[in-house]
Amino acid sequence: MELLPTIWFIAIAVLWTGYLFLEGFDLGVGMLMKLFARDNTERRVLLNTIGPVWDGNEVWLLTAGGATFAAFPLWYASLFSALYLPLLVVLLALIFRAVAFEYRGKVDTDSWRNRWDWAIALGSFFAAFGVGAALALTTTGLPLNANGDREGGPMAWFSGYALLGGVAVVGFSLLHALAFLALKTDGEVRHRARQWFVRLLPVLLLPIAAWALAIQFMDGKPWTWAAVVLAVGAALTAWLLARKGSEGRAFLALGAFLVLGTTAIFGAVFPVVLPSTLDSAFDLTISNASSSDYTLGLMSIVAAFGLPLVIAYQAWTYWVFRRRVSAAHIPEAHSFLPAVAAKAFTTKG
């Protein structure tokens, strides 16, 4: 097996796992703006838990896509062209979500905030669903011909596996957000988040468990089956720790579940990076879809310096904003004049 393509397959799997771990909880918090928060104060608490970190978390998505483009250009070309429509929806969802974060507090009226709250919730949902569908199809296959081109119309990508993957990532994001809120908030929000986490864990993890098991029955290896068993143990551990009120350890245990689950999924399909549902002879693998060894070697040198810096920066960010947030920290909402209008009013007066 070729060394550098294997290393970069593992690196891309790690990047997607990092994205799901970091962006998972803030997408979940976005969805919980309408599902969990009871009033404007609670919604502001939710926003303040992810406010310092959400845009940094999205860097992992860009890095995963960029690494795929550079290391496996045929994988990137086939996947992104076949999934042009759903990935366009993901892009628009992320844009509306980002705009909503900035605009929500600009006008002090309930109707204004409600519109942007829906933008955050729906943007988070469609982003999570689209990413989940894309990852599921990466592991289960698309109708690709011998040239790596999609056969069929613009909806040829849609299948039961796409739906399963989308629901799986949405469910995990919601649960991950509840674990994060129990860890990062205090007061009523903290206690209710922990209660919801304990009650909903079996339901919200069922789709991602079904995805992992489907992959194992198709392509599983003994060691990936072992990873699935360990993932189940990690989920049970998270549930027990949450019941006991150990929010930090429950959050880490859920993270271990994600790492073990993605390891089992990506490990089972290796060395295939994108299966063809038309003919296995058309599968894209780490051998026929990768860049040259020179390109991969140069990328490895850059990543060896760049990746630790990114991780160190994000770790520092989370450390700086490690304190819990509660309703007592949220000031009263108030209206204000824009800077230009305020200056004009002062000059006139």
Side-chain angles (χ1 to χ4, degrees), residues 98-148:
V99 171
F101 282 138
E102 300 296 332
Y103 275 53
R104 182 186 185 275
K106 300 302 182 184
V107 177
D108 184 23
T109 65
D110 290 337
S111 59
W112 174 269
R113 285 190 291 264
N114 185 57
R115 285 194 292 268
W116 292 115
D117 287 343
W118 276 111
I120 294 172
L122 293 176
S124 300
F125 171 80
F126 282 109
F129 186 92
V131 168
L135 289 176
L137 293 172
T138 296
T139 56
T140 58
L142 287 164
L144 303 178
N145 60 25
N147 294 322

Side-chain angles (χ1 to χ4, degrees), residues 19-276:
Y19 174 74
L20 292 175
F21 181 82
L22 294 172
E23 184 82 339
F25 67 74
D26 79 51
L27 289 175
V29 169
M31 288 183 274
L32 290 175
M33 289 281 288
K34 282 298 185 182
L35 297 173
F36 176 84
R38 293 175 174 173
D39 53 37
N40 182 48
T41 299
E42 289 194 354
R43 292 186 182 97
R44 292 174 67 190
V45 169
L46 266 59
L47 286 176
N48 275 271
T49 62
I50 61 172
V53 298
W54 69 268
D55 48 353
N57 293 341
E58 289 186 355
V59 170
W60 289 77
L61 176 62
L62 300 176
T63 307
T68 305
F69 170 77
F72 299 97
L74 293 182
W75 179 11
Y76 178 92
S78 296
L79 181 67
F80 278 66
S81 60
L83 301 181
Y84 186 86
L85 285 179
L87 292 179
L88 179 61
V89 171
V90 169
L91 177 61
L92 293 175
L94 291 174
I95 291 173
F96 275 103
R97 181 172 177 265
V99 171
F101 282 138
E102 300 296 332
Y103 275 53
R104 182 186 185 275
K106 300 302 182 184
V107 177
D108 184 23
T109 65
D110 290 337
S111 59
W112 174 269
R113 285 190 291 264
N114 185 57
R115 285 194 292 268
W116 292 115
D117 287 343
W118 276 111
I120 294 172
L122 293 176
S124 300
F125 171 80
F126 282 109
F129 186 92
V131 168
L135 289 176
L137 293 172
T138 296
T139 56
T140 58
L142 287 164
L144 303 178
N145 60 25
N147 294 322
D149 298 325
R150 181 199 68 212
E151 295 284 345
M155 295 300 293
W157 59 272
F158 189 77
S159 66
Y161 286 121
L163 184 61
L164 177 62
V167 173
V169 172
V170 168
F172 175 80
S173 297
L174 287 170
L175 188 68
H176 202 30
L178 291 170
F180 179 73
L181 291 176
L183 176 64
K184 279 290 294 176
T185 62
D186 211 347
E188 173 63 21
V189 172
R190 173 188 180 183
H191 299 306
R192 197 162 76 250
R194 188 174 69 242
Q195 292 172 354
W196 280 38
F197 179 89
V198 172
R199 292 173 183 171
L200 296 178
L201 183 146
V203 176
L204 294 178
L205 289 188
L206 188 60
I208 198 168
W211 175 15
L213 287 174
I215 297 297
Q216 300 312 307
F217 282 117
M218 288 189 290
D219 302 299
K221 306 171 179 68
W223 71 269
T224 59
W225 275 105
V228 170
V229 174
L230 291 174
V232 173
L236 179 60
T237 301
W239 184 78
L240 292 173
L241 288 169
R243 285 195 65 186
K244 293 165 62 175
S246 183
E247 292 107 342
R249 293 180 179 178
F251 182 78
L252 292 176
L254 188 63
F257 165 84
L258 175 67
V259 171
L260 290 165
T262 54
T263 298
I265 290 171
F266 281 102
V269 299
F270 180 84
V272 175
V273 296
L274 185 57
S276 170

